[in-house]
Amino acid sequence: MIRHWDLFLAPYKQAVEELKVKLKGIRSQYDMKSTHSPIEFVTGRVKPIASILDKATRKGISLDRLEEEMQDIAGLRMMCQFTDDIKAVVELLRQRTDFELIEERDYILHKKESGYRSYHVVVCYPVQTIKGEKKILVEIQIRTLAMNFWATIEHSLNYKYSGKFPENIKKRLQRASEAATQLDEEMSQIRGEIQEAQAIFSRKKESAEES
Ligand code: 0O2
């Protein structure tokens, strides 16, 4: 059974590793040009087997349809400083020729009832295997640091309460989500100032490294 899962998950692992390198590469290119990168950092993971089984049961997905119907077995997250950076990142992804965007879900314009905000794209990514090319669905979640903070905390609480939050926690999480939206808006207002400060800091760092 374990061997079966290893074989099934191998191309997903490969896709996550390759895409991490590629998407982190975008950030390095901005760094080299010393211009603001719309990407702060990138993470990636293959969904644990227990979570795959959980989600399959929850959504009524039969195990022999996982490849077609579970879009986030391979998942990447791209974190941004500012809400506007998310649009820039999505545009960069749309322009790529090494994968195809097949679906977009805007949970920023359409926040989930929980308070969750993020922009999701599903891409079809070709992995090269010894048996030829295999196309893999990969979900990329693009969010600001504030959206990520909220989602990380809510996700851990979800484990504790198995999704059935007491009313007071649910309310607090919704209020925290509104506060995170406000934080994003405030930061966007002073974006120019922040970027100027960051540019000065990175120039100072460069000259310290050269001397
Ligand atoms: P994990 O542990 O992150 O892998 P559904 O699962 O029904 O919400 P669907 O169709 O799978 O939706 O697609 P969706 O909503 O685009 O993506 C689901 C993933 O988005 C989740 O994966 C989470 O990563 C994230 N997400 C969606 N809603 C919420 C939310 O309310 N709170 C948090 N913290 N994350 C959310 P998994 O499989 O649920 O979990």
Side-chain angles (χ1 to χ4, degrees), residues 78-109:
M78 302 176 79
M79 265 54 75
C80 310
Q81 289 187 347
F82 304 101
T83 311
D84 279 350
D85 291 337
I86 295 175
K87 283 190 214 135
V89 171
V90 174
E91 207 37 58
L92 283 170
L93 297 181
R94 285 192 190 124
Q95 279 164 18
R96 290 194 73 109
T97 53
D98 49 350
F99 50 75
E100 190 193 350
L101 254 73
I102 56 166
E103 227 175 289
E104 297 187 26
R105 287 194 279 275
D106 187 350
Y107 297 128
I108 299 172
L109 208 55

Side-chain angles (χ1 to χ4, degrees), residues 146 178-188:
E178 278 156 28
T181 306
Q182 217 180 338
L183 177 61
D184 278 334
E185 282 166 4
E186 290 293 338
M187 289 303 185
S188 294

Side-chain angles (χ1 to χ4, degrees), residues 10-199:
Y12 291 93
K13 283 189 183 142
Q14 191 175 326
V16 169
E17 289 315 310
E18 290 181 12
L19 282 167
K20 268 203 287 190
V21 171
K22 290 180 177 196
L23 301 178
K24 284 180 183 181
I26 306 178
R27 159 128 216 177
S28 314
Q29 288 175 48
Y30 279 100
D31 285 349
M32 273 186 292
K33 283 203 327 184
S34 296
T35 45
H36 168 74
S37 165
I39 303 163
E40 185 63 12
F41 65 94
V42 177
T43 62
R45 63 97 183 97
V46 173
K47 211 176 184 62
I49 299 168
S51 305
I52 295 176
L53 293 172
D54 257 15
K55 188 163 185 168
T57 312
R58 190 160 40 87
K59 303 203 105 189
I61 301 172
S62 127
L63 292 188
D64 54 13
R65 298 279 307 158
L66 284 178
E67 270 178 40
E68 297 83 2
E69 292 182 26
M70 199 171 287
Q71 297 176 323
D72 66 342
I73 295 177
L76 282 106
R77 279 194 190 133
M78 302 176 79
M79 265 54 75
C80 310
Q81 289 187 347
F82 304 101
T83 311
D84 279 350
D85 291 337
I86 295 175
K87 283 190 214 135
V89 171
V90 174
E91 207 37 58
L92 283 170
L93 297 181
R94 285 192 190 124
Q95 279 164 18
R96 290 194 73 109
T97 53
D98 49 350
F99 50 75
E100 190 193 350
L101 254 73
I102 56 166
E103 227 175 289
E104 297 187 26
R105 287 194 279 275
D106 187 350
Y107 297 128
I108 299 172
L109 208 55
H110 308 283
K111 180 168 80 168
K112 284 201 172 186
E113 203 212 325
S114 58
Y116 178 75
R117 291 185 308 136
S118 197
Y119 197 99
H120 293 190
V121 302
V122 179
V123 307
C124 182
Y125 180 75
V127 166
Q128 304 302 319
T129 77
I130 49 172
K131 286 190 185 157
E133 184 176 281
K134 185 167 174 57
K135 289 201 162 131
I136 295 289
L137 293 180
V138 180
E139 184 180 79
I140 307 178
Q141 303 179 342
I142 307 134
R143 35 170 91 153
T144 61
L145 297 169
M147 293 174 195
N148 190 50
F149 176 45
W150 183 93
T152 306
I153 301 291
E154 197 259 4
H155 196 266
S156 5
L157 281 173
N158 229 313
Y159 269 109
K160 176 167 177 192
Y161 294 107
S162 316
K164 295 182 189 78
F165 291 119
E167 208 46 41
N168 69 322
I169 304 272
K170 200 169 152 185
K171 282 242 165 65
R172 277 192 194 279
L173 281 169
Q174 279 163 350
R175 287 223 300 269
S177 164
E178 278 156 28
T181 306
Q182 217 180 338
L183 177 61
D184 278 334
E185 282 166 4
E186 290 293 338
M187 289 303 185
S188 294
Q189 297 293 325
I190 51 166
R191 180 185 174 135
E193 293 278 331
I194 298 169
Q195 282 176 355
E196 233 172 80
Q198 286 170 343

